[in-house]
Structures are given as C-alpha cells and as structure tokens.
C-alpha cells in the first residue's frame, strides 16, 4: 500500500481529512484499521484501486482504476440499533453527490442502498463497524463505490452500469468531493432530526414501493408487495400470509402491485 498526500482535500467540508492511496486492499478495511488506532472522526480514505474490494453480503467489489472507492470513518454516539439507518443516510448522500456532478443522470435507490440508473446498478454502500480495543469507542465506516468509467458484468445479481456508459464524463475527484459534502449534509440532518426526514426522502427516491418484489435472504426468499420501510429502516412487505419485516437481503422487482 502506498500513501500519497492529499491533492484535493481543500475542497472537502471543514473537519474532513483525506487520506489518498494509489492502491489499497479495501478502503473499508483501511478505515477500520485506522479506527483501531483512534484516528479522528471524518477521516476519509480514498483508494484509486482496491485489491480486495468488499461488497454487501460477503460479495467482492471489482475495483479497477477509474472508479470511486472511498470510506468515511465515523464514531456515532446513537444507540447501536439505530446505526443501520446510516445506510439510508449514505444512499441519499451519494445520490446527491452523483446528481451534483452528473445532473442529467437520474439515480434511483433500491433498498437498502443500491443506486441504480435505468434499472442498472451504478453504486453501492457498505457499512462496517467495530469497537476500538483501547478506547472501546464504536466506529462505523461508510464505504461507497461508484462505477465512474467502467462497470463489471454484474454487481450482485443485477446488471451494472457506469457514469461513462450513461454519457457522463465525470472526474473521480469531483465526485468524491460532492459525495463527501452529501455525507456531511445528511449525517447532520440525521444527527439533529433523527431518522424521520431521512426515511421520507429515501422513500421519495426509492424504486419498488407498492410493487411486487422478491426478497432473497440468507435462509429464504419471500415475495410480496413492498409497502414501506419502517422506523428502523427495515423493509416491510405484505404477503398472503401477512406482513414480513426484512433487515437484510437483496430485493428484485418482479412486477406491478395489485393497485
Ligand atoms: C455493495 O455490495 O453494493 C456495496 C459495495 C461497496 C463498495 C465500496 S468501494 C469502497 C468501500 N471499500 C470496500 O471494500 N467496499 C466499499
């Protein structure tokens, strides 16, 4: 792993410190290592390439040069059962970041935090946390990956795309700065006002509400109508057997709802 000095940190919000790495195993892994060393909150790791990029649910995240891979180190003080809400915070922040640098592209959110363009995945968010051995402070790393100039064949089980494929010629650096401003804004709203405004805005940007979805979980698959996300961020679907609340899984749209 080689380190390089920040070349563009001055455009970041106040209090954010950029660590730019030409290559790293995973920016999330690096941020978690820094947390063990008590690095300050709002340390932002930017890797130009990752050798072991991590995706949700144990998947790998292809990480060639030319796309955005970054992780923000935070030390949230809210109760542990509220921290999954940061996945929704990050999705809003990243979709605002993309909108700022590629205003012609319309980004939608698929539960909980996949960003799609025209049904294809363009970005993902991975939250990872631990508790520092020496301070017992809980860290939460918000990892964000955006396909800027290239995309894999698929990302998860859905087709992928990139900003370039969608016709937007975007600088990774500018996107990093815009996404970080988005994080500052939406984390601030979450800290000051709680999950309610996050949930409302997330629902405005989400796909599939009121439609038939299939949710693939580790142990089973459930199909039903996607009703809403609840106060904690869980997906609520109604099936013939009643309502199901889902905390982790992959959502697939399979058709219109019953009206
Ligand atoms: C997903 O599966 O949708 C989440 C993908 C998250 C990828 C990003 S790239 C930067 C950060 N470092 C990682 O190893 N993963 C996240």
């Amino acid at each position: 792993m080689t380190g390089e000095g920040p070349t563009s940190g001055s455009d970041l919000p106040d209090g954010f410190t950029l660590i730019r790495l030409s290559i790293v195993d995973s920016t999330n892994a690096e941020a978690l290592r820094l947390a063990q060393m008590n690095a300050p909150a709002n340390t932002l790791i930017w890797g130009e390439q990752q050798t072991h990029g991590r995706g949700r649910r144990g998947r790998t995240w292809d990480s060639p040069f030319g796309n955005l891979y970054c992780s923000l180190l935070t030390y949230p003080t809210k109760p542990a059962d509220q921290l999954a809400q940061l996945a929704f915070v990050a999705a809003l922040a990243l979709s605002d970041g993309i909108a700022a640098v590629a205003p012609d592209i319309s980004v939608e959110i698929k539960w909980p935090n996949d960003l799609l363009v025209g049904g294809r995945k363009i970005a993902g968010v991975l939250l990872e946390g631990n508790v520092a051995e020496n301070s017992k402070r809980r860290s939460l790393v918000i990892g964000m990956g955006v396909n800027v100039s290239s995309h894999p064949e698929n990302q998860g089980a859905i087709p992928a795309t990139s900003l370039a494929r969608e016709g937007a010629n975007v600088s990774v650096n500018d996107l990093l700065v815009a996404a970080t401003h988005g994080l500052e804004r939406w984390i601030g709203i979450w800290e000051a006002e709680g999950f309610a405004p996050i949930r409302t805005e997330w629902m405005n940007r989400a796909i599939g509400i009121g439609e038939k979805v299939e949710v693939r979980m580790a142990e089973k698959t459930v199909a039903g109508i996607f009703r809403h996300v609840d106060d904690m961020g869980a997906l609520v679907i109604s099936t013939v057997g009643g309502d199901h609340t889902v905390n982790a899984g992959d959502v697939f749209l399979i058709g219109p709802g019953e009206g």
Side-chain angles (χ1 to χ4, degrees):
M1 190 186 330
T2 55
E4 293 175 8
T7 57
S8 50
S10 59
D11 295 330
L12 294 175
D14 286 348
F16 285 67
T17 306
L18 180 65
I19 297 177
R20 178 176 175 172
L21 303 167
S22 54
I23 189 160
V24 63
D25 53 353
S26 150
T27 56
N28 269 27
E30 179 67 9
L32 288 168
R33 287 190 289 266
L34 288 171
Q36 291 295 342
M37 296 188 280
N38 265 316
N42 292 337
T43 300
L44 180 67
I45 316 297
W46 174 18
E48 292 180 47
Q49 291 176 71
Q50 300 183 118
T51 56
H52 294 80
R54 314 206 281 231
R56 284 178 60 236
R57 310 190 75 215
R59 291 188 279 254
T60 59
W61 187 262
D62 285 357
S63 304
F65 183 84
N67 295 333
L68 175 63
Y69 317 106
C70 65
S71 300
L72 181 69
L73 174 58
T74 69
Y75 297 100
T77 53
K78 294 200 189 224
D81 65 355
Q82 293 178 23
L83 299 186
Q85 296 169 357
L86 278 168
F88 299 82
V89 169
L92 293 175
L94 190 51
S95 77
D96 279 358
I98 293 173
V101 296
D104 295 335
I105 289 181
S106 175
V107 176
E108 294 176 310
I109 306 177
K110 184 168 80 68
W111 185 88
N113 51 22
D114 286 344
L115 300 190
L116 308 187
V117 175
R120 291 170 169 264
K121 182 159 168 172
I122 200 155
V125 173
L126 178 66
L127 300 188
E128 293 185 274
N130 63 20
V131 176
E133 278 155 24
N134 42 6
S135 72
K136 302 287 176 232
R137 194 160 56 148
R138 183 190 296 115
S139 60
L140 202 287
V141 169
I142 303 172
M144 306 194 297
V146 184
N147 301 330
V148 175
S149 59
S150 67
H151 62 86
E153 274 311 298
N154 54 44
Q155 234 150 14
I158 56 171
T161 189
S162 67
L163 291 169
R165 182 180 179 278
E166 301 300 326
N169 184 11
V170 164
S171 129
V172 175
N173 183 80
D174 290 351
L175 176 58
L176 172 79
V177 170
T180 309
H181 280 277
L183 282 171
E184 186 206 29
R185 170 163 187 255
W186 284 105
I187 291 173
I189 292 171
W190 178 68
E191 284 174 342
E193 300 172 43
F195 188 51
I198 306 297
R199 177 177 178 271
T200 300
E201 187 55 27
W202 186 95
M203 298 261 287
N204 285 340
R205 302 187 195 184
I207 55 166
I209 296 173
E211 294 182 25
K212 264 191 207 148
V213 296
E214 184 177 277
V215 188
R216 296 183 197 158
M217 294 165 268
E219 69 292 359
K220 62 179 173 182
T221 295
V222 175
I225 306 294
F226 176 7
R227 295 295 177 199
H228 60 93
V229 293
D230 71 12
D231 293 347
M232 299 304 284
L235 174 84
V236 179
I237 62 172
S238 54
T239 70
V240 281
D243 280 0
H244 284 256
T245 300
V246 178
N247 291 302
D250 288 316
V251 173
F252 297 86
L253 301 187
I254 54 176
E258 79 277 84

